[in-house]
Amino acid sequence: MDFNDTPQEAEFRKEVRTWLDANAPKHLEDELKRASFGSNGLESEDPIKASKAWQKKKAEAGWACLHWPKEYGGGARSAMERVIWSQEEGPYAVLSGLFTIGHGMCGPTVMEWANEEWKERLLPPLASGEEVWCQLFSEPASGSDLAGLRTRAVKADDGSGDWIINGQKIWTSGAQNSDWGLLITRTDPDVPKHKGLTMFFLRMDSPGVKVVPIKQANGASGFNEVYFDDVRIPDDQRLGDVGNGWKVSLTTLMNERLSIGSGMSTGFPELFKFCMDMEIDGEAATADSGVRSKLAQFAVKQSGLKYTGMRAISALSKGETPGPENSIGKLVAGATMQELAMYALDLQGEAGVVWDEDSPQNGRFQAMLMRSPATRIEGGSDEILRNIIGERVLGLPGDIRVDKDVPFKEIPTSGKAKA
Amino acid sequence: MNLDFSDEQKQLRDQVRRFLKENCPPAAVRAILEGDDQYDAKLYQGLADLGVLGAAIPEEYGGVGLGHLELCVVAEELGRVLAPVPVASTVYLGAECLMQAGSEEQKQAWLPQISAGEAIGCWAINEGTGRMKPAKVALTFDGKTVSGSKAPITDGGIADFAIVLAKEGSDLSLCLVDLSGSGVSRETLDSIDPTRGQVKLTFEGTPATRIGSAGDGWHIATQIMDRAAILIGFEQLGGADRALEMGRDYALERMAFGRQIGSFQAVKHILADMYVSATLARSNCYYGAWALSSSAAELPIAAATARVSATNAFQHCAKNNIQVHGGMGFTWAFDCHLYYRRSNALALTIGSLSTWESLLIERMSAGNVEAAA
């Protein structure tokens, strides 16, 4: 057990620092540190342009997609080297938010399921940030029950082999900025729900695709509805066999939980600093026993997540595969963030209701409060994650699934009527 | 960086686990709970013979000379089976205190005996109700003898020596007291966990020698309790893990409404939350183990973090294990209450949860927030 860098790790860290020192967009550092939760919040520059410029610079120097093979534009770095990079990249990592879904989920799925020609076409510009991807999975009637999706893909009747798509997706992060989308559809409603799905990728500027941003509870619009009206996709943009889409989607989902869950902040350092600066009855808030008790409980969750992550990296660096136990990252971080934000506002008293730049931490706690409900739902709700831990880590029996062997078209879709 | 035990340490864990499976079944814990003995003397001698008590004691003092990581591994296994033996009092606190602050003479006199299982120690710091503070110490040391009372003292009824926090003039000093000396009386106290005996110790002019310098008592005691907090944290972790296993096994076996109860989300989610608390505690304890084994500057923060997290986990898992078992969990016949007792007793040993929560934030306020964040 050793927390210190090995000589090789120390050497790599030095190399990263030297490069970042000479190349990082230092003029944005303060803005990025202040960035409100859930956006990169740049005021001085177009955030999309700034993100793409930083990604391109990293790609040219070999620092993009450190977990990908070199032939597709990645860095082919070890798990430990990736961790060291992210520790050193610090606030500039916020600029990578635009690419999280592409690099963490769509890219690995394309890498596993597309043919060589497409991999060479798609992956390098994704790694270098020239092209942005989104993931078209959730639908209004199927969130946690992902396989209940209803967007239809049928063969065109003109003999071209193309597919015609009709339907609607929802909660699509970043669709408004994306060049490509990973799309799961239903190709056969006559078989049980998991068996009739097929995966495609498509240009987001294909005729018939309409993206409508959703205004969220926190006022932002990171998610979108995406409508498909007779959208045509060539058959060679299919990933995996017809009817095998569920298996393809598992590649994406497994990577999603890893990607979303790893290294999430709970907001504890900000809360601690706020309590150090704030006074209660003439003393620092951290001298109050009630405050201490609350802070300590947040602190041990934050550090527990941090060291759980390090244990996972230790296992990864010994060649072990990350498993379903990684579900605890998002489960703990999401709920903690929400509770912590509520507590930070409580400490502010009646002033906690005000959400502006003069609020403590520039209104960051108010922003967290209003964004955190989504964190507990996106990429697997708290309840789904508890099921994963219960069933796949602890080996408890699965939930009873009454729709498992029923043809999709016969599954009831509301309390009142059948499909 | 590598936040994991080595293969050799994992082998040691397996070896200790096998030994305890055979020599410390639940029946052995119940024998202490229901009988007159205050600890399992045979098991304790077996642990000594296995080299466990002297694992972190240098060979020149009769120990095995491994290290604290090995002691962490052992502690987890002892906690897992609720071993009714005075290892925490004697080894984590007693031997640690002598190794860190004792004189050569004190080390020579006691460490070989501790390692051989021939001397049991107790940690006599607490006086009265509420968080222990320097101002609460009334017991006195006049340079040669101690007078006054300490309670509650874990293992005080079976101990051969006590480490006592005493007032020396206007300062506090730590003293080593041979309990076979004159003027020692012990009064047995009933407790929530009879598998770890509690007594009130009273001294009337009992011969004692100082540990460390005069006036340094509180400082040394705090350092030793930090080190012990990590080891006791591992005991709590072992207990939490076992309580989770018991709950999981019962949820698989017990049927209701025509299904295994573990298939109900209400039960499944209780168990998932137990897993979460045990996992967070494990990770924090591993960090503590590293700090302890390397005497890192972060040790005080790491100790409080491990301690708070492990207390959370054991209490959470032990109480919810009963909940998963339903009414059966509250019967004397099932083992759930043994874990519930121990989880609550350990939560109060060397300072309660709120004391350690407070310590953690005091220490973070004093300096390095990054260490925990």
Side-chain angles (χ1 to χ4, degrees), chain A residues 127-203:
Chain A
S128 63
E130 286 155 63
E131 292 181 343
V132 177
W133 282 64
C134 63
Q135 178 187 320
L136 299 149
F137 280 23
S138 290
E139 296 194 7
S142 66
S144 293
D145 182 14
L146 177 61
L149 61 94
R150 309 168 69 79
T151 292
R152 286 296 312 272
V154 295
K155 277 267 175 171
D157 53 15
D158 57 8
S160 64
D162 292 353
W163 295 82
I164 307 296
I165 317 295
N166 280 285
Q168 185 200 342
K169 295 289 175 178
I170 195 168
W171 316 129
T172 312
S173 305
Q176 73 276 47
N177 302 315
S178 292
D179 303 284
W180 293 90
L182 188 64
L183 172 70
I184 188 159
T185 64
R186 182 164 306 282
T187 40
D188 187 354
D190 296 324
V191 294
K193 63 180 184 178
H194 289 93
K195 294 183 178 159
L197 304 175
T198 304
M199 187 77 83
F200 298 94
F201 57 89
L202 82 164
R203 293 279 319 174

Side-chain angles (χ1 to χ4, degrees), chain A residues 1-4 9 292-293 297 300 303-304 307-308 311 314 318 325 386-387 391 394 397 399-400, chain B residues 1-4 248 260 265 268-269 273 275 282-284 286-287 290 305 312 357-358 362 371-372:
Chain A
M1 199 163 304
D2 190 359
F3 248 64
N4 302 315
E9 287 162 6
R292 280 186 189 179
S293 177
Q297 287 297 332
V300 302
S303 68
Y307 302 123
T308 299
R311 285 173 54 215
S314 301
K318 287 178 201 163
E325 65 277 6
R386 284 194 178 91
N387 273 8
E391 294 169 19
L394 299 177
D399 279 9
I400 288 178
Chain B
M1 192 219 65
N2 177 24
L3 192 53
D4 196 7
R248 192 264 319 268
Q260 290 159 291
Q265 283 194 355
K268 193 180 288 178
H269 288 189
D273 284 340
Y275 172 82
R282 178 170 297 280
S283 302
N284 282 322
Y286 280 24
Y287 174 58
W290 166 77
T305 302
N312 287 342
E357 285 175 339
S358 203
E362 278 169 30

